[in-house]
Amino acid sequence: MKSTEQKFKTIEVDGKQRYYEPAPKGISAANFRKVVESRRSVRKFTDKPIPKEVLDDCLDMALLAPCSSGLQPWDFYVVKTPAKKAKLVTACLGQLAAKTAQELIVCVARVDRVSEFSKKMIKEWPMPEVPTLVRRYYQLIPYNYAPGPLNSFAMMKKAASNVGGLIAPLPRGPYTRSEVELWAAKSAALACENLVLAFRAHGFDTCMMEGYDEARVRKLLKLSDDAFPIMVIGAGERADDGVFWPQIRFERELFVHEI
């Protein structure tokens, strides 16, 4: 919860006091590159356990991932119970990465907390005063992201945006249920990336698995229709033969375009 006693740094910009959070110094691009380049999809792990403090730190860093409107549409299920872990391995088609992982974590995207978390953003705004535009923004978000029965609201909003977009640039969506799910999935995937890089920085490795029986994973986690698994992440210490082949990346020119 926010505290009225908290002090904030400010700086004057164009005659107005603005919040000031300078970029930290001394961050090593070389070390970050080492983390990124050494991150591999590890298919076999050793029996070395991941210390709880390391697991917790990695999860905390995952929760710092960028997310749309700060709404954090994700959950992380750390499957610890042996019986449930065995069921998750089966749901992951018995993959070696799942069988040998010291930790199995399921990242779930959620679309049912947009209204709740919009209110929470206003309630827990970190500054003493919530700017009027910010308050209005979060008050409108639940309506903007509500598709309505059979996407009825979505179609009306989409038609209105198409007309308004002829006059000025407008955000186009998310409108339909599937578009709202995509919205949540994008933010959840960013959190997954934070998680695997955090494990690598701690000296552990991961395998991000999309090959699983979604119905079985849903049943195991008792997910509602408004929550869906994004991926299962196996984590542990890399075995000597845990990486099966060299990494393959196509030519940079296929992906990077200057216009």
Side-chain angles (χ1 to χ4, degrees), residues 10-44:
T10 60
I11 188 173
E12 188 172 299
V13 179
D14 297 329
K16 296 181 180 180
Q17 289 296 316
R18 301 293 190 191
Y19 172 66
Y20 179 58
E21 185 174 321
K25 306 294 184 181
I27 294 177
S28 170
N31 281 339
F32 180 67
R33 173 173 287 278
K34 187 175 181 181
V35 168
V36 172
E37 290 184 342
S38 64
R39 195 276 329 149
R40 298 300 310 278
S41 292
V42 171
R43 309 291 175 174
K44 182 180 177 183

Side-chain angles (χ1 to χ4, degrees), residues 44-65:
K44 182 180 177 183
F45 300 98
T46 72
D47 293 333
K48 178 180 178 180
I50 299 176
K52 185 179 186 305
E53 59 271 19
V54 171
L55 175 62
D56 287 342
D57 189 49
C58 292
L59 289 165
D60 287 343
M61 284 194 269
L63 300 181
L64 293 176

Side-chain angles (χ1 to χ4, degrees), residues 21-255:
E21 185 174 321
K25 306 294 184 181
I27 294 177
S28 170
N31 281 339
F32 180 67
R33 173 173 287 278
K34 187 175 181 181
V35 168
V36 172
E37 290 184 342
S38 64
R39 195 276 329 149
R40 298 300 310 278
S41 292
V42 171
R43 309 291 175 174
K44 182 180 177 183
F45 300 98
T46 72
D47 293 333
K48 178 180 178 180
I50 299 176
K52 185 179 186 305
E53 59 271 19
V54 171
L55 175 62
D56 287 342
D57 189 49
C58 292
L59 289 165
D60 287 343
M61 284 194 269
L63 300 181
L64 293 176
C67 53
S68 179
S69 298
L71 293 179
Q72 305 158 64
W74 52 54
D75 278 334
F76 287 92
Y77 289 81
V78 183
V79 181
K80 290 283 194 180
T81 308
K84 292 183 178 179
K85 195 170 182 181
K87 288 183 178 179
L88 184 55
V89 170
T90 299
C92 289
L93 316 179
Q95 294 181 61
L96 188 60
K99 284 181 178 179
T100 61
Q102 289 299 302
E103 301 290 347
L104 282 176
I105 304 165
V106 186
C107 177
V108 171
R110 295 185 59 171
V111 298
D112 59 334
R113 297 191 293 200
V114 173
S115 180
E116 176 190 351
F117 280 15
S118 293
K119 294 175 183 176
K120 192 173 179 67
M121 284 293 289
I122 296 174
K123 183 179 180 181
E124 300 189 16
W125 190 252
M127 302 293 285
E129 298 293 333
V130 182
T132 300
L133 287 177
V134 170
R135 183 180 296 275
R136 288 177 181 170
Y137 178 76
Y138 283 107
Q139 287 171 339
L140 287 173
I141 277 182
Y143 302 99
N144 292 341
Y145 287 15
L150 299 177
N151 287 321
S152 54
F153 297 162
M155 295 302 100
M156 290 187 290
K157 289 185 290 185
K158 189 171 186 177
S161 293
N162 287 341
V163 173
L166 297 174
I167 302 171
L170 290 174
R172 311 293 178 106
Y175 303 115
T176 65
R177 168 75 183 206
S178 61
E179 288 173 345
V180 175
E181 290 179 348
L182 176 60
W183 163 84
K186 287 190 289 185
S187 287
L190 291 173
C192 289
E193 178 74 1
N194 264 30
L195 181 63
V196 300
L197 292 180
F199 273 120
R200 182 82 288 277
H202 273 288
F204 291 93
D205 283 285
T206 55
C207 185
M208 304 166 85
M209 293 174 278
E210 292 185 289
Y212 52 81
D213 185 325
E214 183 172 332
R216 281 182 164 81
V217 175
R218 281 180 172 275
K219 183 178 180 180
L220 176 66
L221 302 182
K222 299 179 180 179
L223 300 180
S224 72
D225 290 340
D226 292 319
F228 53 97
I230 296 297
M231 64 185 70
V232 180
I233 299 174
E237 181 187 55
R238 183 185 308 192
D240 289 342
D241 56 345
V243 179
F244 287 178
W245 44 74
Q247 189 176 65
I248 301 172
R249 285 295 182 265
F250 304 135
E251 309 91 286
R252 187 177 192 270
E253 292 74 20
L254 290 174
F255 311 106

